[in-house]
Amino acid sequence: MKEIKTTEAVGQVLCHDITQIIKGVTKDAVFRKGHIICKDDIPVLLSMGKDSVYIWEKDERMLHENEAAQILYSLCANEHMYPSEVKEGKIEVIAECRGLLKVDKKRLNLINGAGEMMIASRHGNFPVKAGDTIAGTRIIPLVIEKEKMEAVKSMCKEKPVFELKPFLHKKAGIVTTGNEVYYGRIQDTFTPVVREKLAEYDVEIIGHEVSDDHHERITGCIKRMLSKGADLILCTGGMSVDPDDRTPLAIKNTGAEIVTYGVPVLPGAMFLLAYYEGDIPILGLPGCVMYAKRTVFDLVLPRILAGERLDAKELSMMGEGGLCLSCPVCTFPNCGFGKGA
C-alpha cells in the first residue's frame, strides 16, 4: 500500500475501510476497501481527520487484511459454524446450531503468539445457541506477509481451533431419595429444579421414582429406570457423608463405575459421577442443586448432554474458577464460575 495526501487521492482505490465513530450514534465504515475515491469524498475524508489515505498497490508478497482474515477463519472453521461478512478486516465465527463449544487452547495460543494476528473467542466447555458469535478473527496491521500466514497455516493444519458439539437427545430417569419426601413429611422441591434445568436441553424424562433412605430401594429404582431405556440417571439427595445418606452406596451397588465422589466446586462439592455399562451417566446431585442458583450441575450437564465422557483428572482440575460468588444478580455464564485458566 502507499500513503498519499487525501487532496491528491481522486481516482485512487482505498486499500482499507475508513470508519466513522460518533458516540451513541454510529460506528461503521463510511468508505469500504475497494472504493474509488471521487472529488465529493475529499471533504468527508478531511472531516474525519484523514489528511492522508492508503491506496492499494498490489504486491504478491503481501496479503490484505480481508484476505488474511479469510485464512484465519479457515483455521477456526468446523462443522456447525459459518462466517460473518468481512467488515473492517474482521470475520466472526457464528454458531449454526445449539451445542457445546470446545476450544483447542494450544492452537489458539499458537496463532495468537505468532504476532500481527489474533483470534478472540468465548470460553470453551459452555453452551452456545444458534446465531451466537463464537470468535472474531483479524490481523493487526492492514497488510501482512503471505509467508507468515502460510507458516501459521502449516502449524495448525491438523484440525480447526473450534468444535461445536450438538446436544444429544437423552432419555432421563430421576430418582428422588429421602425418608422425609418418601413418607410425605415435606414437599419434594428438588425434582422441579432438576426438571427445569433439563428443560433447557433436548432431554426426555421417561420416569421419576421416589425412594426412602434404604440403599437397596434406591438401587432398585435406578435399575428400573435403566430397564425402561434411560441413558441418563439423576439421583437427588442423600449425598453427604452422614451415616444415613446412602445414595452413593446405592449407585455403586448398581455395578456402575464411580468416576468421582467429590469435586473442587462450590456449590457442589459432594457431587458424584458414575457410568453404568461404560456409557450411561449416573449423577448424584447434592442438596445445593435444589437451593443454589448455579452449581456444579450447571457446569457438568452441558458436557454430558454433548456426549462427553468426563474423567476424574479433568474433574479434579475444576478448582480454579470453581467458586461461585453467589452474586445478588446472577449473570452466569457471563461470569468467572467454571472458567479456569
Side-chain angles (χ1 to χ4, degrees), residues 20 46 55 59 61 79 107 151 154 181 195 217 256 282 308 315 341:
Q20 183 181 49
L46 293 173
I55 60 169
D59 184 339
R61 298 170 303 165
E79 289 184 293
R107 283 183 169 76
S154 178
V181 176
R195 286 181 177 272
R217 287 200 178 96
I282 301 178
E308 293 203 312
L315 290 166

Side-chain angles (χ1 to χ4, degrees), residues 326-339:
S326 301
C327 303
V329 177
C330 180
T331 59
F332 180 86
N334 299 319
C335 66
F337 185 48
K339 299 181 177 73

Side-chain angles (χ1 to χ4, degrees), residues 97-116:
C97 66
R98 194 154 188 261
L100 183 78
L101 176 64
K102 303 293 291 184
V103 179
D104 187 326
K105 292 184 180 181
K106 182 178 178 181
R107 283 183 169 76
L108 180 64
N109 292 336
L110 188 66
I111 294 168
N112 286 332
E116 297 189 313

Side-chain angles (χ1 to χ4, degrees), residues 255-293:
E257 174 196 354
I258 305 294
V259 174
T260 187
Y261 176 29
V263 289
V265 176
L266 290 172
M270 306 306 292
F271 171 77
L272 183 148
L273 174 63
Y275 285 94
Y276 182 79
E277 293 188 346
D279 61 354
I280 299 177
I282 301 178
L283 279 60
L285 302 179
C288 62
V289 175
M290 176 173 54
Y291 60 81
K293 181 74 174 177

Side-chain angles (χ1 to χ4, degrees), residues 17 32 65-74 76-78 80-96 120 131-138 162:
D17 295 346
R32 299 276 184 195
E65 60 178 356
N66 288 2
E67 297 170 301
Q70 294 280 4
I71 292 173
L72 289 174
Y73 173 78
S74 72
C76 296
N78 210 328
H80 314 300
M81 53 190 74
Y82 62 92
S84 68
E85 292 184 5
V86 184
K87 187 175 182 181
E88 298 175 307
K90 179 176 72 176
I91 296 180
E92 293 181 338
V93 185
I94 312 296
E96 196 171 52
D132 280 351
T133 300
I134 293 172
T137 74
R138 69 169 303 150
F162 302 112

Side-chain angles (χ1 to χ4, degrees), residues 54 107 158 162 218 245 254 271 279:
Y54 289 90
R107 283 183 169 76
E158 291 182 24
F162 302 112
I218 300 171
D245 282 343
T254 65
F271 171 77
D279 61 354

Side-chain angles (χ1 to χ4, degrees), residues 58-327:
K58 189 65 175 175
D59 184 339
E60 295 302 323
R61 298 170 303 165
M62 306 297 289
L63 291 173
H64 185 269
E65 60 178 356
N66 288 2
E67 297 170 301
Q70 294 280 4
I71 292 173
L72 289 174
Y73 173 78
S74 72
L75 300 179
C76 296
N78 210 328
E79 289 184 293
H80 314 300
M81 53 190 74
Y82 62 92
S84 68
E85 292 184 5
V86 184
K87 187 175 182 181
E88 298 175 307
K90 179 176 72 176
I91 296 180
E92 293 181 338
V93 185
I94 312 296
E96 196 171 52
C97 66
R98 194 154 188 261
L100 183 78
L101 176 64
K102 303 293 291 184
V103 179
D104 187 326
K105 292 184 180 181
K106 182 178 178 181
R107 283 183 169 76
L108 180 64
N109 292 336
L110 188 66
I111 294 168
N112 286 332
E116 297 189 313
M117 62 190 75
M118 56 78 63
I119 300 172
S121 79
R122 292 171 177 251
H123 276 279
N125 289 331
F126 279 84
V128 296
K129 303 185 297 295
D132 280 351
T133 300
I134 293 172
T137 74
R138 69 169 303 150
I139 60 167
I140 307 304
L142 292 172
V143 294
I144 192 169
E145 293 90 347
K146 184 184 294 186
E147 184 179 349
K148 189 166 192 175
M149 297 303 301
E150 290 298 324
V152 171
K153 282 174 62 177
S154 178
M155 288 188 292
C156 301
K157 63 184 178 181
E158 291 182 24
K159 66 176 184 177
V161 173
F162 302 112
E163 181 182 7
L164 184 55
K165 293 185 171 182
F167 293 123
L168 306 174
H169 175 75
K170 290 283 187 180
K171 296 179 180 180
I174 301 174
V175 177
T176 302
T177 70
N179 289 339
E180 66 278 21
V181 176
Y182 183 76
Y183 292 109
R185 296 167 189 159
I186 67 169
Q187 183 181 358
D188 176 15
T189 56
F190 205 147
T191 304
V193 172
V194 174
R195 286 181 177 272
E196 183 179 354
K197 290 186 181 292
L198 294 179
E200 298 178 21
Y201 301 93
D202 185 17
V203 177
E204 175 188 354
I205 299 174
I206 63 169
H208 173 221
E209 292 199 23
V210 181
S211 173
D212 60 14
D213 287 322
H214 287 87
H215 65 83
E216 298 93 341
R217 287 200 178 96
I218 300 171
T219 299
C221 290
I222 295 171
K223 287 192 170 181
R224 281 192 293 276
M225 292 294 178
L226 292 167
S227 68
K228 291 179 181 179
D231 51 15
L232 172 63
I233 302 292
L234 302 150
C235 299
T236 71
M239 291 303 303
S240 80
V241 292
D242 294 343
D244 57 349
D245 282 343
R246 307 291 179 79
T247 305
L249 176 61
I251 294 173
K252 180 181 179 181
N253 287 345
T254 65
E257 174 196 354
I258 305 294
V259 174
T260 187
Y261 176 29
V263 289
V265 176
L266 290 172
M270 306 306 292
F271 171 77
L272 183 148
L273 174 63
Y275 285 94
Y276 182 79
E277 293 188 346
D279 61 354
I280 299 177
I282 301 178
L283 279 60
L285 302 179
C288 62
V289 175
M290 176 173 54
Y291 60 81
K293 181 74 174 177
R294 297 296 178 180
T295 69
V296 66
F297 189 39
D298 298 284
L299 304 181
V300 170
L301 182 62
R303 301 187 64 180
I304 287 173
L305 295 181
E308 293 203 312
R309 194 184 197 284
L310 301 174
D311 59 33
K313 181 179 179 180
E314 190 167 9
L315 290 166
S316 73
M317 295 171 65
M318 295 177 71
E320 183 179 3
L323 177 63
C324 176
L325 299 180
S326 301
C327 303

